Structure formats: structure tokens, C-alpha cells
Amino acid sequence: DVFGNRVAEVQVEGLATEFLIEVSLQTELTSQPHLVHGAAAFPVVYDPSLMPLLAPYLVSSLPSPGLAAWLSAATKQQPAPEWALDVALGLNRRQHADIAYNTRMEAGVQSADDTLRLARGSCRDSAWLLVQALRQLGFAARFVSGYLIETDALAEAGDKDHVELHAWCEVYLQGGGWVGLEPTSGELTGEGHIPLAFAAEPAAAAPVAAADAQTLGVF
């Protein structure tokens, strides 16, 4: 797709009563070193040559009232952080403290204001809130969809499968690349986070999407 994600397309002839997708995943997990401080200073200033590439992940619109109020409260601290990584991690930890995690089976993603008002959300709701908050502070941030392999749970269960669909956020730090942030824990992502799709907005990273032939322009 436009973000470089691999996409599989299936065209169904005629009517179908069932469409089943089975996923088999085999991966080797290795520990990942965390970034050291100093990858980028704050406020963030990206190299002009990167701006066309980062444009989809930057924001230009005004924040919603709820997001603006939460950001104002979250960023009131002295002394001001010097490093961009500290700012991003601090915001991630503040969101983790303010927003409870819950499993939500309804389709779609909550708005930032709804997540803040309810003080709870699914992984995709929290990831989208963090993406929008980081963009307001000048960061390039993107929504990530993939799998979470909980290594501690695997060890306790005797290496039985313990994998679930998951969503998180990545922020771009000049000199450090794309850095994963896990809003449901308030920390950096680890070796158990398996990214499958990156996008500027959640809808573009949906695991499964459908359209009829007329919508696709197929005749």
C-alpha cells in the first residue's frame, strides 16, 4: 500500500456464507537494545530533507478541546525535558497512568476526547490518542498494528502460544529512527511486539478491510 505495507487481496466470486482467515506465525524473538539519551533534542527539529517523507505523520490541525486540556496538564513540569526521548516517554507514561486498558470488541477507534472522557480504551484507542498527542508536540508519529507475543506469559505457560492482535505507537527521532511506544504499559516496545502495518491513521492499518466490486472499480 502507500505506506509500504504488504497487502493480500482476495476476490470472491459470487455469494459466500463464510470467510475464514487463519494465521500461522513463526518468529524468532531476540532482545532489542533501548535507545540512549541524546538521539535528538527537544523541541524536535527535523532535517528539511525528511519533511516530505514525514509529512503524513505530522499534524497541522488544532487539537480537540479534551486533547488540548490533557496535553496542557501533562506537559506542566519543571525543569523542561532536554531530550526528545524523555518527552515522548514521559507522555507515554502519563497516558498509561490516566487511561485504563479494556478489551473493546466494537469496530473503529475512539476519538481522543472520548478516550480521555471515559479514561479507558482498547490498545488501538490508546495508541491513536498517543499518536495525536505526540504530533501536537511536533513529533512525527504513526499508528502501528501487529501482534503482541507476551514472553513472560509464554514462559509461565510452558512455551504455549500466547499471541494477540495489538496496536501501539511509533515516534520518529532524528538519529534514532522509528521508536516504538507501548501506551498500555507506558514503556518502550520490546521483542514481543511484531509490527505488521504502519499508517498515518488507524483505518489505513486495519487487519481486514472489504469492499464490493463497484467500490473497487472492478467490472
Side-chain angles (χ1 to χ4, degrees):
D1 65 6
V2 68
F3 298 107
N5 303 305
R6 293 184 178 182
V7 178
E9 180 179 303
V10 177
Q11 295 186 11
V12 181
E13 298 292 339
L15 299 177
T17 58
E18 184 182 50
F19 186 75
L20 177 65
I21 299 175
E22 293 185 355
V23 177
S24 177
L25 175 67
Q26 180 177 346
T27 182
E28 180 178 348
L29 302 182
T30 57
S31 60
Q32 300 174 350
H34 286 167
L35 278 177
V36 296
H37 290 224
F42 186 80
V44 178
V45 178
Y46 293 116
D47 189 294
S49 64
L50 296 176
M51 295 304 289
L53 302 174
L54 296 177
Y57 311 109
L58 293 163
V59 70
S60 57
S61 59
L62 293 175
S64 58
L67 179 58
W70 181 77
L71 264 177
S72 177
T75 54
K76 282 183 179 177
Q77 51 184 326
Q78 295 294 333
E82 182 179 0
W83 302 112
L85 180 58
D86 290 336
V87 176
L89 271 174
L91 194 62
N92 189 29
R93 289 167 181 159
R94 174 62 183 265
Q95 178 175 321
H96 172 63
D98 291 347
I99 307 299
Y101 171 76
N102 74 312
T103 301
R104 193 171 64 81
M105 302 306 294
E106 298 86 356
V109 178
Q110 292 175 172
S111 68
D113 282 7
D114 282 345
T115 300
L116 291 167
R117 176 178 53 83
L118 296 169
R120 66 178 183 271
S122 65
C123 57
R124 63 188 184 277
D125 301 322
S126 293
W128 182 228
L129 171 59
L130 185 58
V131 166
Q132 294 176 87
L134 287 167
R135 288 177 182 175
Q136 291 295 332
L137 298 182
F139 289 94
R142 64 186 183 182
F143 184 89
V144 187
S145 178
Y147 290 107
L148 176 60
I149 301 177
E150 299 187 55
T151 52
D152 292 339
L154 280 175
E156 294 175 2
D159 290 335
K160 293 183 179 179
D161 293 342
H162 195 91
V163 183
E164 59 184 11
L165 283 170
H166 198 54
W168 58 95
C169 165
E170 284 189 349
V171 61
Y172 188 82
L173 300 180
Q174 192 154 306
W178 288 103
V179 179
L181 299 172
E182 172 57 271
T184 61
S185 70
E187 301 298 333
L188 296 170
T189 57
E191 65 271 16
H193 291 78
I194 311 298
L196 294 180
F198 311 90
E201 296 187 1
V208 180
D212 57 32
Q214 186 173 0
T215 303
L216 291 172
V218 178
F219 300 98

